[in-house]
């Protein structure tokens, strides 16, 4: 189990972050970016899981700029609330807070970033805009289409679901054509396939394969 700490961005905005520490020597740092549901129990579990693999994980509460302590589930009402909150975000402030989280994770060495849904878009944007990143990993990133022209400045890995009704799988080819150095994988799975709290979306096999690939990617880029 991790703990909650407070971080301060360059514009003096103070926000919370969930920190999960490895038990032994750290292999590096990893910023874990939330879905539209805030730093909820799933994102904390993801951070705990990567900490168990040796990474110092920092999961910033990106909604703190306008609503604190956001911790949503996956009901229809939660989805609606998450989308409402997502609509209030802007990329400039998001990148400030993400950069602060990268610096916090940097005490463990080289830093990667991993994000899910909205966070997948944040991870892609950070890979293009935030200095100090050695790897970027995104799962079914909602904002990828609007960010397609942003060129990653670090090795980048993207996971797509072939059954995803929100993010067309054709985007994998589009992004690969624009940025040939990135790695993309497509799974026979739906949006949110990594989240075991979403029974209608979760795909244990796809999640396991994607996690194995993500860990190998981190070993190669942060090691």
């Amino acid at each position: 189990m991790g703990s909650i700490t407070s971080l301060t961005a360059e514009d003096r905005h103070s926000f919370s972050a969930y920190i999960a520490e490895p038990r032994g020597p750290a292999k590096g740092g990893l910023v874990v970016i939330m879905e539209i549901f805030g730093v909820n129990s799933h994102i904390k579990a993801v951070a705990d899981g990567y900490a168990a693999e040796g990474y110092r994980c920092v999961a910033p509460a990106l909604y703190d700029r306008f609503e604190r302590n956001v911790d949503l589930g996956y009901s229809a009402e939660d989805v609606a609330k998450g989308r409402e909150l997502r609509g209030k975000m802007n990329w400039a402030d998001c990148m400030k807070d993400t950069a602060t989280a990268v610096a916090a994770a940097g005490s463990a060495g080289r830093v990667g970033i991993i994000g899910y849904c909205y966070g997948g878009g944040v991870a892609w944007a950070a890979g293009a805009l935030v200095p100090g990143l050695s790897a970027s990993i995104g799962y079914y990133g909602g904002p990828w289409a609007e960010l397609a022209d942003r060129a990653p400045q670090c090795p980048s890995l993207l996971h797509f679901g072939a059954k995803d009704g929100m993010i067309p799988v054709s985007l994998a080819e589009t992004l690969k054509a624009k940025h040939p150095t990135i790695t993309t994988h497509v799974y026979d799975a739906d949006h949110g396939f990594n989240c075991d709290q979403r029974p209608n979306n979760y795909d244990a096999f796809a999640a396991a394969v994607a996690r194995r690939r993500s860990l190998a990617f981190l070993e190669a880029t942060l090691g």
Side-chain angles (χ1 to χ4, degrees), residues 64-78:
D64 272 12
R65 284 187 177 265
F66 45 84
E67 185 168 335
R68 294 186 178 272
N69 303 315
V70 174
D71 182 349
L72 300 175
Y74 297 92
S75 68
E77 292 79 7
D78 288 327

Side-chain angles (χ1 to χ4, degrees), residues 79-223:
V79 171
K81 176 66 172 178
R83 287 174 175 168
E84 175 191 340
L85 293 169
R86 158 70 177 93
K88 296 179 180 180
M89 295 294 292
N90 70 74
W91 287 113
D93 287 341
C94 179
M95 290 298 102
K96 290 174 189 173
D97 297 347
T98 301
T100 302
V102 169
S107 62
R110 292 181 180 176
V111 181
I113 187 169
I114 189 167
Y116 302 82
C117 183
Y118 167 65
V122 175
W124 175 266
L129 300 171
V130 174
L133 281 171
S134 297
S136 173
I137 302 172
Y139 281 68
Y140 34 81
W144 282 342
E146 68 181 271
L147 300 169
D149 291 331
R150 296 285 189 182
Q153 302 301 306
C154 62
S156 298
L157 169 63
L158 303 181
H159 300 293
F160 291 81
K163 299 175 181 176
D164 193 330
M166 292 184 285
I167 302 160
V169 72
S170 60
L171 190 57
E173 295 182 2
T174 299
L175 287 168
K176 184 71 173 176
K178 286 178 177 286
H179 312 289
T181 63
I182 70 172
T183 301
T184 62
H185 293 292
V186 177
Y187 305 84
D188 185 27
D190 204 343
H191 186 82
F193 67 77
N194 184 71
C195 181
D196 58 4
Q197 296 185 25
R198 304 173 75 170
N200 295 329
N201 301 71
Y202 178 57
D203 187 303
F205 178 75
V209 173
R211 188 172 190 274
R212 185 171 70 246
R213 287 169 169 166
S214 295
L215 284 168
F217 189 74
L218 292 173
E219 289 277 358
T221 53
L222 304 187

Side-chain angles (χ1 to χ4, degrees), residues 53-66:
E53 297 290 344
Y55 297 96
R56 182 175 201 258
C57 293
V58 180
L62 298 178
Y63 288 160
D64 272 12
R65 284 187 177 265
F66 45 84

Side-chain angles (χ1 to χ4, degrees), residues 10-25:
E10 64 178 26
D11 62 355
R12 303 186 67 81
H13 165 64
S14 179
F15 61 98
S16 65
Y18 181 79
I19 309 287
E21 302 280 6
R23 288 194 176 93

